[in-house]
Short mmCIF file of all heavy atoms in Angstrom, two decimals:
data_model
loop_
_atom_site.label_atom_id
_atom_site.label_comp_id
_atom_site.label_asym_id
_atom_site.label_seq_id
_atom_site.Cartn_x
_atom_site.Cartn_y
_atom_site.Cartn_z
N TYR W 4 -65.58 -8.42 22.86
CA TYR W 4 -65.31 -7.00 23.06
C TYR W 4 -66.25 -6.15 22.20
O TYR W 4 -66.56 -6.50 21.06
CB TYR W 4 -63.86 -6.67 22.65
CG TYR W 4 -62.84 -6.89 23.71
CD1 TYR W 4 -61.60 -7.43 23.38
CD2 TYR W 4 -63.13 -6.62 25.05
CE1 TYR W 4 -60.64 -7.67 24.38
CE2 TYR W 4 -62.15 -6.82 26.06
CZ TYR W 4 -60.93 -7.39 25.69
OH TYR W 4 -60.02 -7.61 26.69
N ASN W 5 -66.73 -5.05 22.74
CA ASN W 5 -67.44 -4.07 21.98
C ASN W 5 -66.59 -2.80 21.89
O ASN W 5 -66.44 -2.12 22.86
CB ASN W 5 -68.82 -3.81 22.65
CG ASN W 5 -69.72 -2.89 21.78
OD1 ASN W 5 -69.52 -2.89 20.58
ND2 ASN W 5 -70.57 -2.14 22.42
N LEU W 6 -66.02 -2.54 20.69
CA LEU W 6 -65.15 -1.42 20.47
C LEU W 6 -65.83 -0.31 19.73
O LEU W 6 -66.49 -0.56 18.72
CB LEU W 6 -63.93 -1.87 19.66
CG LEU W 6 -63.18 -3.11 20.18
CD1 LEU W 6 -62.04 -3.45 19.23
CD2 LEU W 6 -62.63 -2.84 21.57
N VAL W 7 -65.68 0.94 20.26
CA VAL W 7 -66.30 2.12 19.61
C VAL W 7 -65.21 3.07 19.28
O VAL W 7 -64.49 3.54 20.22
CB VAL W 7 -67.41 2.71 20.50
CG1 VAL W 7 -67.96 3.94 19.80
CG2 VAL W 7 -68.48 1.74 20.78
N LYS W 8 -64.99 3.45 18.04
CA LYS W 8 -64.03 4.42 17.62
C LYS W 8 -64.71 5.62 17.00
O LYS W 8 -65.60 5.48 16.14
CB LYS W 8 -63.06 3.84 16.53
CG LYS W 8 -62.07 4.73 15.94
CD LYS W 8 -60.99 5.14 16.97
CE LYS W 8 -59.88 5.99 16.24
NZ LYS W 8 -58.90 6.46 17.22
N LYS W 9 -64.37 6.84 17.53
CA LYS W 9 -65.05 8.07 17.07
C LYS W 9 -64.06 8.98 16.40
O LYS W 9 -62.87 9.03 16.80
CB LYS W 9 -65.68 8.76 18.29
CG LYS W 9 -66.88 8.00 18.96
CD LYS W 9 -67.41 8.83 20.06
CE LYS W 9 -68.56 8.07 20.77
NZ LYS W 9 -69.18 8.86 21.86
N TYR W 10 -64.59 9.68 15.38
CA TYR W 10 -63.77 10.66 14.59
C TYR W 10 -64.53 11.99 14.55
O TYR W 10 -65.76 11.97 14.35
CB TYR W 10 -63.46 10.14 13.19
CG TYR W 10 -62.72 8.86 13.10
CD1 TYR W 10 -63.39 7.65 13.15
CD2 TYR W 10 -61.33 8.82 13.09
CE1 TYR W 10 -62.72 6.42 13.06
CE2 TYR W 10 -60.66 7.61 12.98
CZ TYR W 10 -61.36 6.42 12.99
OH TYR W 10 -60.70 5.23 12.93
N GLY W 11 -63.81 13.06 14.64
CA GLY W 11 -64.38 14.39 14.41
C GLY W 11 -64.15 14.84 12.99
O GLY W 11 -63.01 14.93 12.58
N LEU W 12 -65.23 15.09 12.20
CA LEU W 12 -65.13 15.48 10.80
C LEU W 12 -65.74 16.79 10.56
O LEU W 12 -66.67 17.24 11.31
CB LEU W 12 -65.80 14.39 9.94
CG LEU W 12 -65.43 12.95 10.12
CD1 LEU W 12 -66.21 12.05 9.17
CD2 LEU W 12 -63.93 12.71 9.97
N THR W 13 -65.30 17.48 9.48
CA THR W 13 -65.91 18.76 9.12
C THR W 13 -65.64 19.00 7.64
O THR W 13 -64.86 18.27 7.00
CB THR W 13 -65.34 19.92 9.99
OG1 THR W 13 -66.15 21.08 9.72
CG2 THR W 13 -63.94 20.25 9.60
N GLN W 14 -66.27 20.07 7.11
CA GLN W 14 -66.07 20.49 5.75
C GLN W 14 -66.30 22.02 5.65
O GLN W 14 -67.19 22.52 6.30
CB GLN W 14 -67.02 19.75 4.78
CG GLN W 14 -67.01 20.20 3.35
CD GLN W 14 -65.68 20.11 2.69
OE1 GLN W 14 -64.99 21.15 2.54
NE2 GLN W 14 -65.22 18.92 2.33
N PHE W 15 -65.48 22.67 4.88
CA PHE W 15 -65.53 24.12 4.81
C PHE W 15 -66.10 24.67 3.50
O PHE W 15 -66.06 25.88 3.20
CB PHE W 15 -64.13 24.71 5.03
CG PHE W 15 -63.57 24.37 6.36
CD1 PHE W 15 -62.68 23.32 6.55
CD2 PHE W 15 -63.91 25.12 7.47
CE1 PHE W 15 -62.13 23.01 7.74
CE2 PHE W 15 -63.36 24.81 8.70
CZ PHE W 15 -62.51 23.73 8.88
N ASP W 16 -66.68 23.74 2.69
CA ASP W 16 -67.37 24.15 1.47
C ASP W 16 -68.74 23.58 1.53
O ASP W 16 -68.92 22.40 1.87
CB ASP W 16 -66.64 23.71 0.21
CG ASP W 16 -65.33 24.40 -0.04
OD1 ASP W 16 -65.31 25.65 0.26
OD2 ASP W 16 -64.38 23.80 -0.46
N SER W 17 -69.73 24.37 1.14
CA SER W 17 -71.09 23.87 1.12
C SER W 17 -71.32 22.86 0.05
O SER W 17 -70.63 22.88 -0.96
CB SER W 17 -72.09 25.04 1.06
OG SER W 17 -71.87 25.73 -0.21
N GLY W 18 -72.35 22.02 0.22
CA GLY W 18 -72.65 21.04 -0.81
C GLY W 18 -73.07 19.70 -0.17
O GLY W 18 -73.05 19.54 1.05
N ALA W 19 -73.44 18.75 -1.09
CA ALA W 19 -73.81 17.44 -0.60
C ALA W 19 -72.59 16.53 -0.79
O ALA W 19 -72.03 16.42 -1.91
CB ALA W 19 -74.99 16.90 -1.40
N TYR W 20 -72.16 15.86 0.27
CA TYR W 20 -70.92 15.05 0.25
C TYR W 20 -71.27 13.61 0.67
O TYR W 20 -72.24 13.38 1.39
CB TYR W 20 -69.87 15.61 1.19
CG TYR W 20 -69.44 16.98 0.73
CD1 TYR W 20 -69.99 18.15 1.30
CD2 TYR W 20 -68.38 17.15 -0.19
CE1 TYR W 20 -69.59 19.40 0.90
CE2 TYR W 20 -67.96 18.42 -0.56
CZ TYR W 20 -68.55 19.55 -0.01
OH TYR W 20 -68.10 20.78 -0.37
N THR W 21 -70.43 12.73 0.21
CA THR W 21 -70.54 11.32 0.61
C THR W 21 -69.29 10.85 1.33
O THR W 21 -68.20 10.97 0.76
CB THR W 21 -70.78 10.41 -0.62
OG1 THR W 21 -71.94 10.83 -1.28
CG2 THR W 21 -70.89 8.94 -0.21
N ILE W 22 -69.46 10.44 2.57
CA ILE W 22 -68.29 9.89 3.30
C ILE W 22 -68.05 8.47 2.77
O ILE W 22 -68.93 7.65 2.76
CB ILE W 22 -68.61 9.84 4.79
CG1 ILE W 22 -68.91 11.24 5.34
CG2 ILE W 22 -67.42 9.21 5.55
CD1 ILE W 22 -69.31 11.25 6.79
N PRO W 23 -66.88 8.25 2.22
CA PRO W 23 -66.61 6.96 1.59
C PRO W 23 -66.58 5.81 2.59
O PRO W 23 -66.51 6.00 3.79
CB PRO W 23 -65.25 7.11 0.92
CG PRO W 23 -64.59 8.19 1.75
CD PRO W 23 -65.69 9.14 2.15
N ARG W 24 -66.66 4.56 2.07
CA ARG W 24 -66.61 3.42 2.95
C ARG W 24 -65.23 3.39 3.60
O ARG W 24 -64.21 3.80 3.04
CB ARG W 24 -66.74 2.14 2.10
CG ARG W 24 -68.11 2.03 1.37
CD ARG W 24 -68.21 0.67 0.71
NE ARG W 24 -67.11 0.37 -0.18
CZ ARG W 24 -66.79 -0.81 -0.65
NH1 ARG W 24 -67.44 -1.88 -0.25
NH2 ARG W 24 -65.76 -0.95 -1.44
N GLN W 25 -65.26 2.93 4.85
CA GLN W 25 -64.02 2.88 5.64
C GLN W 25 -63.61 1.40 5.85
O GLN W 25 -64.49 0.52 6.04
CB GLN W 25 -64.21 3.54 7.01
CG GLN W 25 -64.57 4.99 6.91
CD GLN W 25 -63.48 5.78 6.25
OE1 GLN W 25 -62.32 5.71 6.62
NE2 GLN W 25 -63.84 6.54 5.22
N LYS W 26 -62.33 1.18 5.80
CA LYS W 26 -61.78 -0.16 5.83
C LYS W 26 -61.38 -0.50 7.29
O LYS W 26 -60.59 0.26 7.92
CB LYS W 26 -60.59 -0.34 4.94
CG LYS W 26 -59.98 -1.73 4.91
CD LYS W 26 -58.92 -1.85 3.80
CE LYS W 26 -57.79 -0.97 4.06
NZ LYS W 26 -56.66 -1.19 3.01
N ILE W 27 -61.91 -1.60 7.83
CA ILE W 27 -61.55 -2.06 9.15
C ILE W 27 -60.98 -3.44 9.03
O ILE W 27 -61.56 -4.31 8.38
CB ILE W 27 -62.76 -2.04 10.14
CG1 ILE W 27 -63.26 -0.66 10.32
CG2 ILE W 27 -62.32 -2.64 11.49
CD1 ILE W 27 -64.39 -0.27 9.36
N ILE W 28 -59.85 -3.70 9.64
CA ILE W 28 -59.19 -4.99 9.60
C ILE W 28 -59.38 -5.66 10.93
O ILE W 28 -58.95 -5.11 11.97
CB ILE W 28 -57.70 -4.86 9.20
CG1 ILE W 28 -57.54 -4.21 7.84
CG2 ILE W 28 -57.02 -6.26 9.21
CD1 ILE W 28 -56.13 -3.93 7.47
N ILE W 29 -59.95 -6.86 10.95
CA ILE W 29 -60.17 -7.64 12.16
C ILE W 29 -59.43 -9.01 11.96
O ILE W 29 -59.89 -9.78 11.18
CB ILE W 29 -61.65 -7.84 12.46
CG1 ILE W 29 -62.33 -6.50 12.55
CG2 ILE W 29 -61.82 -8.67 13.73
CD1 ILE W 29 -63.87 -6.60 12.75
N GLY W 30 -58.36 -9.17 12.70
CA GLY W 30 -57.59 -10.39 12.48
C GLY W 30 -56.99 -10.37 11.09
O GLY W 30 -56.33 -9.41 10.70
N ASP W 31 -57.29 -11.38 10.30
CA ASP W 31 -56.84 -11.43 8.90
C ASP W 31 -57.97 -11.17 7.93
O ASP W 31 -57.88 -11.47 6.75
CB ASP W 31 -56.16 -12.75 8.63
CG ASP W 31 -57.10 -13.96 8.88
OD1 ASP W 31 -58.16 -13.71 9.41
OD2 ASP W 31 -56.73 -15.09 8.55
N LYS W 32 -59.07 -10.64 8.40
CA LYS W 32 -60.22 -10.32 7.61
C LYS W 32 -60.42 -8.84 7.44
O LYS W 32 -60.06 -8.04 8.31
CB LYS W 32 -61.51 -10.92 8.22
CG LYS W 32 -61.46 -12.42 8.50
CD LYS W 32 -61.32 -13.27 7.18
CE LYS W 32 -61.25 -14.70 7.52
NZ LYS W 32 -61.10 -15.55 6.28
N THR W 33 -60.96 -8.40 6.32
CA THR W 33 -61.20 -6.98 6.02
C THR W 33 -62.72 -6.70 5.89
O THR W 33 -63.40 -7.46 5.21
CB THR W 33 -60.48 -6.55 4.71
OG1 THR W 33 -59.05 -6.81 4.87
CG2 THR W 33 -60.70 -5.07 4.41
N PHE W 34 -63.15 -5.68 6.54
CA PHE W 34 -64.55 -5.27 6.50
C PHE W 34 -64.64 -3.83 6.07
O PHE W 34 -63.73 -3.05 6.25
CB PHE W 34 -65.20 -5.39 7.89
CG PHE W 34 -65.29 -6.84 8.44
CD1 PHE W 34 -64.16 -7.35 9.11
CD2 PHE W 34 -66.40 -7.60 8.25
CE1 PHE W 34 -64.18 -8.64 9.60
CE2 PHE W 34 -66.45 -8.88 8.78
CZ PHE W 34 -65.35 -9.43 9.41
N PHE W 35 -65.78 -3.50 5.42
CA PHE W 35 -66.00 -2.10 4.97
C PHE W 35 -67.36 -1.63 5.53
O PHE W 35 -68.36 -2.35 5.57
CB PHE W 35 -66.07 -2.07 3.44
CG PHE W 35 -64.72 -2.24 2.80
CD1 PHE W 35 -64.33 -3.53 2.38
CD2 PHE W 35 -63.87 -1.18 2.62
CE1 PHE W 35 -63.06 -3.69 1.80
CE2 PHE W 35 -62.62 -1.35 2.02
CZ PHE W 35 -62.24 -2.61 1.60
N THR W 36 -67.33 -0.37 5.97
CA THR W 36 -68.58 0.25 6.45
C THR W 36 -69.38 0.75 5.25
O THR W 36 -68.89 0.77 4.13
CB THR W 36 -68.27 1.44 7.38
OG1 THR W 36 -67.62 2.46 6.63
CG2 THR W 36 -67.39 1.04 8.52
N ASP W 37 -70.60 1.14 5.50
CA ASP W 37 -71.43 1.75 4.48
C ASP W 37 -71.06 3.24 4.27
O ASP W 37 -70.60 3.84 5.18
CB ASP W 37 -72.93 1.66 4.78
CG ASP W 37 -73.41 0.23 4.85
OD1 ASP W 37 -72.83 -0.65 4.15
OD2 ASP W 37 -74.31 -0.06 5.64
N SER W 38 -71.16 3.70 3.00
CA SER W 38 -70.96 5.14 2.78
C SER W 38 -72.15 5.89 3.32
O SER W 38 -73.28 5.45 3.31
CB SER W 38 -70.78 5.35 1.25
OG SER W 38 -71.88 4.95 0.56
N LEU W 39 -71.89 7.10 3.76
CA LEU W 39 -72.93 7.97 4.41
C LEU W 39 -72.93 9.31 3.74
O LEU W 39 -71.89 9.88 3.39
CB LEU W 39 -72.65 8.13 5.91
CG LEU W 39 -72.59 6.79 6.73
CD1 LEU W 39 -72.12 7.11 8.14
CD2 LEU W 39 -73.98 6.10 6.72
N LYS W 40 -74.13 9.87 3.59
CA LYS W 40 -74.31 11.17 2.95
C LYS W 40 -74.44 12.27 4.02
O LYS W 40 -75.07 12.06 5.02
CB LYS W 40 -75.51 11.18 2.01
CG LYS W 40 -75.38 10.28 0.80
CD LYS W 40 -76.53 10.48 -0.13
CE LYS W 40 -76.31 9.62 -1.45
NZ LYS W 40 -77.43 9.79 -2.42
N VAL W 41 -73.80 13.41 3.71
CA VAL W 41 -73.85 14.59 4.63
C VAL W 41 -74.15 15.81 3.81
O VAL W 41 -73.58 16.06 2.72
CB VAL W 41 -72.51 14.74 5.37
CG1 VAL W 41 -72.52 15.95 6.30
CG2 VAL W 41 -72.16 13.53 6.19
N GLU W 42 -74.99 16.65 4.35
CA GLU W 42 -75.35 17.92 3.70
C GLU W 42 -74.66 19.06 4.46
O GLU W 42 -74.80 19.18 5.71
CB GLU W 42 -76.82 18.13 3.70
CG GLU W 42 -77.31 19.36 2.90
CD GLU W 42 -77.32 19.06 1.40
OE1 GLU W 42 -77.40 17.87 0.99
OE2 GLU W 42 -77.25 20.07 0.62
N VAL W 43 -73.82 19.89 3.76
CA VAL W 43 -73.12 20.99 4.41
C VAL W 43 -73.80 22.27 3.90
O VAL W 43 -73.81 22.55 2.70
CB VAL W 43 -71.64 20.98 4.08
CG1 VAL W 43 -70.91 22.18 4.74
CG2 VAL W 43 -70.99 19.66 4.49
N ASN W 44 -74.32 23.03 4.82
CA ASN W 44 -75.09 24.23 4.50
C ASN W 44 -74.27 25.49 4.77
O ASN W 44 -73.44 25.50 5.64
CB ASN W 44 -76.41 24.27 5.32
CG ASN W 44 -77.24 23.06 5.09
OD1 ASN W 44 -77.47 22.63 3.92
ND2 ASN W 44 -77.67 22.39 6.13
N ASN W 45 -74.63 26.54 4.00
CA ASN W 45 -73.97 27.84 4.20
C ASN W 45 -74.45 28.42 5.58
O ASN W 45 -75.53 28.11 6.05
CB ASN W 45 -74.29 28.80 3.10
CG ASN W 45 -73.55 28.47 1.82
OD1 ASN W 45 -72.37 28.17 1.86
ND2 ASN W 45 -74.20 28.52 0.66
N VAL W 46 -73.60 29.26 6.13
CA VAL W 46 -73.99 29.99 7.34
C VAL W 46 -74.60 31.35 6.95
O VAL W 46 -73.90 32.11 6.25
CB VAL W 46 -72.75 30.21 8.24
CG1 VAL W 46 -73.14 30.98 9.46
CG2 VAL W 46 -72.15 28.85 8.62
N VAL W 47 -75.81 31.61 7.33
CA VAL W 47 -76.45 32.84 6.99
C VAL W 47 -76.00 33.92 7.92
O VAL W 47 -76.01 33.80 9.18
CB VAL W 47 -78.01 32.66 7.11
CG1 VAL W 47 -78.68 34.01 6.76
CG2 VAL W 47 -78.47 31.54 6.16
#
């Protein structure tokens, strides 16, 4: 199976943020995704 799970994310304060690692459980095993950086800019 190829499973794709999507999430809608946002932030209401400007700045540089890091999305933390996410935990996925497959059977009796635990996997973690990589952390990702996001830049939130002010609206001119």
Side-chain angles (χ1 to χ4, degrees):
Y4 277 140
N5 186 26
L6 307 177
V7 178
K8 175 70 174 177
K9 295 182 180 181
Y10 301 89
L12 309 179
T13 191
Q14 174 56 257
F15 298 97
D16 290 323
S17 60
Y20 298 94
T21 300
I22 301 175
R24 298 187 306 163
Q25 299 299 307
K26 181 172 66 175
I27 297 93
I28 300 174
I29 304 175
D31 57 352
K32 305 296 181 181
T33 301
F34 296 84
F35 289 93
T36 64
D37 294 331
S38 58
L39 301 173
K40 291 186 177 182
V41 178
E42 188 78 22
V43 180
N44 302 310
N45 285 317
V46 178
V47 180

